[in-house]
Amino acid sequence: SYVLTQPPSVSVAPGKTARISCAGDNIGTRGVHWYQQKPGQAPILVIYYDTDRPSGIPERFSGSNSGNTATLTIGRVEAGDEADYYCQVWDSPSDRLGVFGGGTKLTVL
Amino acid sequence: EVQLVQSGAEVIRPGESLRISCKGSGYRFSSYNINWVRHVPGKGLEWMGSVDPNKPQSRYSPSFQGRVSISSDKSITTAYLQWSNLKASDTAIYYCARGYEYGLDVWGQGTTVTVSS
């Protein structure tokens, strides 16, 4: 089955830019979705289809996807952005089996 | 308001059966797949499977195939996740979430399942 690899942790100072990677074989040909999960809360969708933001998600959140790596970028990081972030794809159009990356803990210094 | 409301926390003995539920409201229930996601605290999210309420047709991750059953009843806009033989390793928080092509855009609040003798 398809495997997504994320770094376990990323640290960034407030006001700086955080980049979280999600690696997968030819992931650029798939639509990638990103979720934020804070402790004790359900995940929320922050980016869908590589680059699109759901309503209510700040413009500071953006995404890109090319080749073997997708990236979630968070600009002007705030303390409230500290959370676990997960990338997700669907394994194949016919199977419609979901796959999550292992998650990245974003720490705001 | 679009929402998914899950059933309450459960404490179950090993070997017992369990069904938890996820009720959708505020949208056309049959138009969106319902997915189930497992979260063991301290570990990552795991996609378990999904159901298309309109067919209904269920799909399962190979990791959960044969271990759980996913179903839905669109007449009461509710989806279900069911086990027949729970193990201690099934202790986790289980989330339902709406969606497919555009990601999982609406999530339930989570149901904590504790399997302990």
Side-chain angles (χ1 to χ4, degrees):
Chain A
S1 61
Y2 196 72
V3 176
L4 296 173
T5 302
Q6 297 183 236
S9 63
V10 167
S11 298
V12 64
K16 300 299 186 182
T17 297
R19 294 179 179 84
I20 299 172
S21 63
C22 175
D25 184 37
N26 229 10
I27 195 174
T29 63
R30 302 169 183 261
V32 178
H33 314 296
W34 291 91
Y35 305 88
Q36 175 195 71
Q37 186 180 32
K38 296 181 179 179
Q41 298 183 18
I44 63 169
L45 180 68
V46 294
I47 293 289
Y48 65 96
Y49 250 139
D50 299 339
T51 59
D52 294 337
R53 273 188 320 277
S55 63
I57 301 301
E59 290 184 10
R60 303 184 296 104
F61 287 80
S62 62
S64 63
N65 185 17
S66 178
N68 293 315
T69 305
T71 303
L72 173 69
T73 301
I74 309 171
R76 301 184 303 281
V77 167
E78 304 172 356
D81 298 329
E82 188 163 287
D84 294 324
Y85 292 84
Y86 296 89
C87 57
Q88 181 254 321
V89 300
W90 300 102
D91 197 355
S92 72
S94 57
D95 291 338
R96 297 193 178 189
L97 302 183
V99 178
F100 282 100
T104 298
K105 168 67 177 177
L106 176 66
T107 299
V108 181
L109 300 171
Chain B
E1 179 192 5
V2 175
Q3 58 179 353
L4 297 173
V5 177
Q6 298 184 228
S7 50
E10 302 275 3
V11 179
I12 299 291
R13 295 188 187 280
E16 290 186 340
S17 300
L18 176 66
R19 187 177 77 169
I20 62 176
S21 66
C22 169
K23 182 172 177 61
S25 62
Y27 72 99
R28 183 185 293 269
F29 184 76
S30 58
S31 294
Y32 295 82
N33 288 359
I34 295 292
N35 300 261
W36 287 94
V37 176
R38 184 171 81 173
H39 185 215
V40 176
K43 298 193 174 182
L45 301 177
E46 299 174 273
W47 186 86
M48 302 176 69
S50 68
V51 61
D52 179 345
N54 211 33
K55 293 186 177 178
Q57 178 180 11
S58 302
R59 295 178 167 87
Y60 299 92
S61 163
S63 300
F64 293 95
Q65 178 82 48
R67 289 275 300 126
V68 299
S69 176
I70 296 171
S71 61
S72 67
D73 184 346
K74 68 179 182 180
S75 69
I76 55 172
T77 66
T78 300
Y80 302 98
L81 175 64
Q82 184 168 335
W83 297 260
S84 59
N85 179 16
L86 279 156
K87 306 177 190 301
S89 57
D90 293 315
T91 294
I93 302 169
Y94 293 87
Y95 294 100
C96 62
R98 178 186 89 162
Y100 166 56
E101 189 171 6
Y102 298 101
L104 306 178
D105 65 341
V106 179
W107 292 68
Q109 83 276 19
T111 296
T112 299
V113 174
T114 304
V115 184
S116 173
S117 55

